[in-house]
Amino acid sequence: MYTVDEIKRINSTDAGIYVYIPSPLTTWTDIMNGESIADILLHTAIVSLQPLQFGLHMAILNAPMSSMSCSVSSDCIQNWSPVIPGSIYAVGGLLGSICTSYVLSTRGIVYTLNVFAFCFVVGSIVLASSKTQTQIIFARILTGFAAGGAVVSSPIYVNAIAPPHLKGLLGSSTQLNVNVGIIIAQILGVLFASENWRYIMYVSVLFSVIAVILLRVFVRSVPVKSFSDPEAQTLTGTSHATIHGSHQGATLSNNYSEHQAHHHRHVTITTPGSNATGESISIGVFLKEAKYRHSFITAVSLFMVQQLTGINTIILYGVRILSNSFPNQTKAVNLLLSIINLIATAISASIIDKFGSRKMLLLSLGLMGLFTALLALGLTSGRQLLTLASALLTIVSFAIGIGPIPFMFIGEVTPPEALSLAQSIGTVSSWLSTFAILTIFPFLDSHMGYKSFYIFSACSLASCIWYSKWLK
């Protein structure tokens, strides 16, 4: 068993890919033997505050959007228009996810977590104190940047410190915390309306400051290299994250392989274009060679389809969409949708495991097509019960299939040497599609009204038919 000093000495003389154990007070073997489970749970909870902030900032403009206009409130944003601040969050997320690999490989996971936590603090402060549209846009880019990095780096840390018997539970905690963040945003929207809308932003500052303090005080880690040790086993982890939109907010997926669960002393985290055995391909090879074409098309299309279902419009424009149907209960209805989403997300993994990812993907898209069309019908006809029921069932349909499944499929159809690249390309496709949909939807809404949801319904149904032939 290696002591902390021995591990430090090894790392001072050997180069390698760094990963981390959660405390300088324990060794990796101690943790894996269950002697520091409380420490692991504490660190997971602290690190998960970053995905929570991802969800919080994704939905933070939903409720106060109308109150931020100078025509409504004296405490307002000059020249306020929600379109760019809403969609620009995805641009920040894309930049953050791209930069994460470089920061991880050069400075390590804990440094990376601290960088994005600090960006959340600065972005939240700017957001809370903004007086102009430009300031809001800058804050949204910065918080989006932090969110994009957080949803990549946080699951890597959790996956690295989690013992095998807790890996699934702790891994899902990251995903669930994103949804908790969305629920918090909806609760704040119910509590603080009209003139008090800045209180919602102040709470985001509070969360970000608490997250930084806890991260700095408790989360200290020792870099461990994949050194030669006949007793040591290797757990390879490749973790990427994607925004899956809707009140699901974002769904995170970790792909990893486990070897000999006991007495792990190190973790190798692969970076884009490489795998655990050291094999790698360039992005040019991945894009050009025929044997990777199916993986490439699958990666790009699945994450595009996620957004083409229209689910992400609900998370940012939910209050605006439902205001006519529920004029006095709009924010409460949005909160209900978020709670249902959290429950559906929590049980989705067991459902997918039982029935299979392909079958659940097709079922999900088919149901999304049906219920999105019913949502459009309910909104246009003013039928409250139909609107509420179809909105709830749309969210559940997303959670059991097209939300969490894309990364699973990428792992199934992609050769190991191209897996990280496929995941990275999928992540980029997701952020770009999110930006496109959130930018285009206000235009569709102004010209078509609620009938724009029929377009999303058609996209879901067409995708269901196409994937039934494409994914065998």
Side-chain angles (χ1 to χ4, degrees):
M1 182 173 66
Y2 291 99
T3 66
V4 171
D5 289 337
E6 288 173 332
I7 291 171
K8 288 180 178 178
R9 177 169 48 79
I10 290 170
N11 272 299
S12 68
T13 57
D14 287 319
I17 300 174
Y18 293 111
V19 293
Y20 302 83
I21 57 179
S23 173
L25 303 178
T26 56
T27 65
W28 180 254
T29 304
D30 291 334
I31 293 170
M32 297 308 292
N33 283 338
E35 296 177 15
S36 301
I37 296 299
D39 194 35
I40 294 174
L41 295 178
L42 173 64
H43 287 222
T44 299
I46 293 171
V47 171
S48 293
L49 287 175
Q50 295 204 33
L52 184 147
Q53 291 180 85
F54 172 98
L56 174 63
H57 282 281
M58 184 68 187
I60 201 167
L61 296 182
N62 191 349
M65 191 175 293
S66 60
S67 302
M68 296 168 71
S69 171
C70 291
S71 62
V72 177
S73 172
S74 58
D75 184 10
C76 60
I77 303 299
Q78 297 175 16
N79 302 316
W80 170 245
S81 172
V83 177
I84 296 179
S87 59
I88 204 70
Y89 186 76
V91 175
L94 174 61
L95 296 175
S97 62
I98 291 174
C99 292
T100 303
S101 293
Y102 173 77
V103 182
L104 274 171
S105 62
T106 56
R107 301 304 298 268
I109 185 66
V110 172
Y111 181 90
T112 303
L113 291 170
N114 277 278
V115 166
F116 293 122
F118 179 74
C119 288
F120 270 126
V121 172
V122 177
S124 298
I125 292 174
V126 174
L127 185 65
S129 59
S130 293
K131 296 291 185 180
T132 67
Q133 178 91 340
T134 302
Q135 292 171 339
I136 288 283
I137 291 173
F138 173 75
R140 293 288 286 173
I141 292 175
L142 193 55
T143 53
F145 179 83
V151 295
V152 176
S153 56
S154 297
I156 289 177
Y157 185 89
V158 172
N159 187 56
I161 68 172
H165 65 286
L166 292 178
K167 192 170 293 293
L169 175 64
L170 298 184
S172 65
S173 71
T174 307
Q175 172 180 331
L176 292 176
N177 269 283
V178 175
N179 296 293
V180 170
I182 296 171
I183 290 178
I184 291 173
Q186 304 293 0
I187 293 174
L188 294 174
V190 173
L191 296 177
F192 304 114
S194 46
E195 293 288 336
N196 297 321
W197 64 267
R198 284 193 190 272
Y199 290 161
I200 302 175
M201 315 305 173
Y202 295 149
V203 173
S204 73
V205 175
L206 179 63
F207 270 107
S208 64
V209 171
I210 291 174
V212 165
I213 294 173
L214 293 176
L215 200 61
R216 296 292 295 175
V217 172
F218 292 102
V219 181
R220 295 173 182 155
S221 56
V222 180
V224 182
K225 177 190 176 292
S226 297
F227 47 82
S228 299
D229 178 4
E231 297 179 5
Q233 306 296 330
T234 301
L235 171 65
T236 61
T238 304
S239 180
H240 293 266
T242 178
I243 182 172
H244 288 175
S246 89
H247 282 73
Q248 276 68 1
T251 304
L252 308 174
S253 179
N254 298 329
N255 293 296
Y256 53 85
S257 59
E258 299 184 13
H259 305 277
Q260 306 280 336
H262 300 289
H263 304 293
H264 294 300
R265 292 196 185 148
H266 59 277
V267 180
T268 301
I269 296 178
T270 63
T271 54
S274 66
N275 62 18
T277 62
E279 299 175 1
S280 64
I281 62 169
S282 67
I283 189 169
V285 171
F286 180 68
L287 296 177
K288 292 178 181 179
E289 290 198 7
K291 70 175 181 177
Y292 301 121
R293 194 159 299 147
H294 186 270
S295 300
F296 171 74
I297 294 175
T298 301
V300 172
S301 65
L302 279 173
F303 291 110
M304 287 181 61
V305 167
Q306 276 184 335
Q307 303 310 317
L308 290 174
T309 62
I311 200 72
N312 229 341
T313 60
I314 299 176
I315 192 172
L316 189 60
Y317 300 109
V319 171
R320 173 177 166 179
I321 292 168
L322 298 173
S323 59
N324 288 339
S325 297
F326 304 93
N328 299 319
Q329 302 88 23
T330 306
K331 295 172 184 177
V333 171
N334 270 271
L335 176 58
L336 173 63
L337 295 178
S338 297
I339 294 173
I340 295 298
N341 158 69
L342 180 64
I343 296 172
T345 301
I347 65 175
S348 62
S350 59
I351 296 176
I352 294 170
D353 287 342
K354 181 176 181 180
F355 294 102
S357 54
R358 182 182 180 275
K359 183 181 295 184
M360 291 308 300
L361 175 67
L362 298 179
L363 177 63
S364 171
L365 288 171
L367 292 176
M368 286 282 293
L370 171 63
F371 294 130
T372 305
L374 291 176
L375 176 60
L377 178 61
L379 289 169
T380 53
S381 63
R383 301 175 187 176
Q384 286 188 329
L385 182 59
L386 178 60
T387 299
L388 179 59
S390 56
L392 290 172
L393 291 171
T394 296
I395 287 174
V396 172
S397 300
F398 185 86
I400 63 172
I402 186 61
I405 280 176
F407 270 110
M408 301 178 188
F409 255 122
I410 291 176
E412 291 175 8
V413 303
T414 305
E417 70 276 10
L419 180 57
S420 291
L421 274 174
Q423 291 173 322
S424 297
I425 290 173
T427 300
V428 171
S429 173
S430 176
W431 283 113
L432 291 176
S433 300
T434 300
F435 173 75
I437 293 298
L438 293 181
T439 302
I440 293 171
F441 177 74
F443 173 81
L444 292 176
D445 187 47
S446 64
H447 286 76
M448 299 180 60
Y450 299 131
K451 292 180 180 178
S452 58
F453 281 93
Y454 286 119
I455 296 177
F456 298 135
S457 173
C459 289
S460 297
L461 293 174
S463 299
C464 179
I465 296 171
W466 186 71
Y467 281 125
S468 67
K469 302 179 183 300
W470 177 257
L471 297 174
K472 299 298 183 180

